[in-house]
Amino acid sequence: NAGVTQTPKFQVLKTGQSMTLQCAQDMNHEYMSWYRQDPGMGLRLIHYSVGAGITDQGEVPNGYNVSRSTTEDFPLRLLSAAPSQTSVYFCASSYSGASSGANVLTFGAGSRLTVL
Amino acid sequence: GDSVTQMEGPVTLSEEAFLTINCTYTATGYPSLFWYVQYPGEGLQLLLKATKADDKGSNKGFEATYRKETTSFHLEKGSVQVSDSAVYFCALRGGKIIFGKGTRLHILP
């Protein structure tokens, strides 16, 4: 049981480049989400999805796109990287509904992105 | 929209001291509430949760009670240990799951 797998773990980009952070989970979780973690700012929600084919914006969506074509995968795309997007990115997933484990997030190991 | 506010850190305490980390929230309806912990160099993991008003979540000596009347979910521990040094995040699930800014806790031996 791999849990939530994020790739790559580290990435350096130049301003204006694009890239995709991959996220996959094997727990059949309905809810998936992307956060960025910056010093003093906590975790801020970028985008989230409550099921395949459904995505919505979080607190800081500008400059990022997502799609959810399958239950397992939730890639995050940076369209034109900017230095302000230098951060640590976490993908997380959970069951929805009323079960005892519902809404408890399982996090990936994180992806550290530096934009020069 | 939904929001979570938690006390600024860092918080520095001596071992065996009493800990309170304040958390208040704004949300429509009846969100579930959580505390997560991030130990140095690690990812976030669930510490405890509560799903309805007056529920008390507890784990590893930590407790928090869901207070709807004050929209609060304060984290407490009666006697902290050096191993409790970490960053603590309050979170809520309404339509989506959002976090507070985190409180860094340092425990001195």
Side-chain angles (χ1 to χ4, degrees), chain A residues 11 14 19 22 25 29 43 51-52 55 60-61 69 72 82 84 92-93 103-104 116:
Chain A
Q11 183 72 50
K14 294 181 179 178
M19 76 157 298
Q22 301 292 344
Q25 52 91 10
H29 285 171
L43 268 76
T55 64
V60 288
S69 56
E72 295 78 19
S84 60
S93 69
N103 303 314
V104 175
L116 303 176

Side-chain angles (χ1 to χ4, degrees), chain A residues 31 35 37 40-43 45 48 50 57 59 90 94 96 100-105 107, chain B residues 2 32 34 36 38 42-46 49 87 89 93 95-102:
Chain A
Y31 183 93
Y35 297 88
Q37 184 174 24
M41 300 298 292
L43 268 76
L45 180 65
Y48 68 103
V50 297
Q57 296 182 349
E59 302 163 289
F90 287 98
S94 75
S96 298
S100 62
N103 303 314
V104 175
L105 288 171
F107 282 84
Chain B
D2 296 352
S32 295
F34 308 84
Y36 284 81
Q38 187 176 32
E42 300 183 12
L44 275 76
Q45 56 186 277
L46 178 72
K49 68 172 187 176
V87 182
F89 293 91
R93 168 73 195 260
K96 53 190 180 285
I97 301 174
I98 60 171
F99 288 79
K101 291 186 177 181

